[in-house]
Amino acid sequence: MFAEFLQYLLAGVTIGATYALIALGFTIIYNASHVINFAQGEMLMIGGMATVALFATGVPLALAIALAVLLAAILGMLLHRLAIAPARQADVVTLIIITIGAAIFLRGVAQIIWGRDYHSLPSFSQPSSIEVFGAVMYSQSLWVLGVASVVVALLAVFFMKTAVGRATLAVCMNKQAARLMGVRVEWVLTLAFVLAAALGAIAGAVATPITLTSYDIGVMLGLKGFVAAAIGGLGSGVGAIVGGLLLGISEAMTAGYLSSDYKDAVAFLLILVILMFMPRGLLGPREAERV
C-alpha cells in the first residue's frame, strides 16, 4: 500500500515540477505586462520537438537542449517585438487574443516541419528506472526535479541579486516609476518573454523522455500550466511552484486511485473550487511576494 502511494506521489511531483516551470513563465510575463501568454505551452513544445530533431541529426544531447532553449528564447523575443509591442496600446483582452493566435501559428508550423507523430528522447541517464522503497521511479524524474530546482534557484538569485533582475521587479511593481528611474521598460518586457519562453523550452526538453512530445502537446500542458499559476495565485512565483506541485500530485492520485479518464478534469475542478473560495489563489499578491 505504501509503495503504491509513493509511486503515485513520485509521478505527481515529477509532472508537477513541469507544470511549475510552465506556471513560472506565465507569472513572469503577467507580472511584467499583465498579459496572460497562451503561447507558453507552445514554447514547451518547441523545446521538446527541437531537441528531438537536433539529437536525431547527431547533435550531442546537451547541445541539442541548449540550442532548443535558444530557439524558444528567440521566438519569445520575436513574439514580444513583432506582436505584443506594436499593440501595446490595445486592451489586455486583445493582447491575450494575439498570444492565442501566436500559439496557433507556432503549432501549425511545427506540424508542417515535424509532422503529427509522437517523438521521444532516451533517458538522460541509465538505468532508466530505479526502485525507491518498493516504488519504481524513472531516473528521468530525478532530472526533471533537479533541473526544476536549479532553475528556480537561479531565478531567485537573478531577481534578487542582479541589477537586471531588480529592474525587472521594478517594472513589475510600477512601470511609470521604473521608466522615470531610467529603466528601459520595453527591453525589460522583452526579457520577460525571453525568460518565459526559455523556461517552457527547458520543461519540454527534460520532460520529453517521460511524456513524449508532438506538435500539439503544448495545448493541454499550457492550459495546465496556466491552471497551476492561477490556483497558486497569478503574480506569485512561490504560488506557481505550489500550484504546479499540487496539480501534478492531484492528477497522479486521481489517475491511480480512481481512473485516468478523470485525470485531465482535476485541473479544472481544482481551479473552480480554489478560486471560488480564494479568488486570488492560494498565494495571491497580498499573501505572497510577487516574482
Side-chain angles (χ1 to χ4, degrees):
M1 183 68 72
F2 175 73
E4 184 181 50
F5 171 79
L6 186 59
Q7 179 87 49
Y8 301 146
L9 179 63
L10 292 173
V13 170
T14 299
I15 191 63
T18 304
Y19 293 156
L21 288 178
I22 304 170
L24 280 171
F26 276 105
T27 297
I28 289 171
I29 291 179
Y30 177 79
N31 275 341
S33 63
H34 294 291
V35 173
I36 298 173
N37 177 25
F38 281 108
Q40 186 65 17
E42 273 53 50
M43 298 305 171
L44 177 142
M45 177 271 293
I46 292 294
M49 294 290 277
T51 300
V52 169
L54 290 166
F55 183 67
T57 63
V59 177
L61 182 58
L63 179 58
I65 293 173
L67 292 174
V69 172
L70 177 61
L71 172 62
I74 292 172
L75 290 174
M77 179 189 69
L78 293 176
L79 172 61
H80 179 257
R81 289 293 189 183
L82 301 182
I84 301 298
R88 67 172 67 89
Q89 301 303 325
D91 58 76
V92 172
V93 174
T94 301
L95 295 176
I96 292 174
I97 291 173
I98 289 173
T99 69
I100 294 173
I104 295 171
F105 173 77
L106 289 173
R107 199 154 57 243
V109 172
Q111 181 180 352
I112 293 171
I113 296 175
W114 293 304
R116 302 171 64 94
D117 297 332
Y118 279 87
H119 303 271
S120 64
L121 279 174
S123 177
F124 292 0
S125 58
Q126 296 298 326
S128 60
S129 61
I130 55 178
E131 187 172 322
V132 181
F133 298 111
V136 177
M137 178 183 186
Y138 288 114
S139 60
Q140 187 64 28
S141 296
L142 297 177
W143 280 96
V144 174
L145 296 175
V147 168
S149 300
V150 169
V151 167
V152 169
L154 289 176
L155 280 176
V157 172
F158 170 75
F159 282 115
M160 299 301 175
K161 301 297 184 181
T162 69
V164 176
R166 289 194 291 269
T168 304
L169 287 176
V171 171
C172 293
M173 293 174 185
N174 191 315
K175 288 188 182 66
Q176 189 60 33
R179 184 177 284 110
L180 291 174
M181 293 300 294
V183 176
R184 298 171 59 187
V185 173
E186 285 303 314
W187 186 88
V188 170
L189 293 177
T190 300
L191 177 63
F193 276 82
V194 168
L195 282 176
L199 285 174
I202 290 170
V206 298
T208 293
I210 299 174
T211 63
L212 304 183
T213 189
S214 69
Y215 80 98
D216 62 348
I217 196 172
V219 177
M220 186 57 72
L221 288 178
L223 282 175
K224 289 182 179 179
F226 169 69
V227 169
I231 64 180
L234 271 175
S236 168
V238 175
I241 297 169
V242 171
L245 293 175
L246 176 62
L247 178 56
I249 292 171
S250 299
E251 283 189 352
M253 294 300 175
T254 300
Y257 288 112
L258 295 178
S259 169
S260 59
D261 293 337
Y262 303 121
K263 180 173 69 72
D264 290 334
V266 170
F268 306 105
L269 179 62
L270 269 179
I271 194 172
L272 178 65
V273 171
I274 290 176
L275 296 188
M276 182 181 298
F277 296 100
M278 304 178 69
R280 295 181 181 274
L282 295 174
L283 295 168
R286 289 186 179 178
E287 294 78 24
E289 192 173 341
R290 293 165 68 115
V291 168

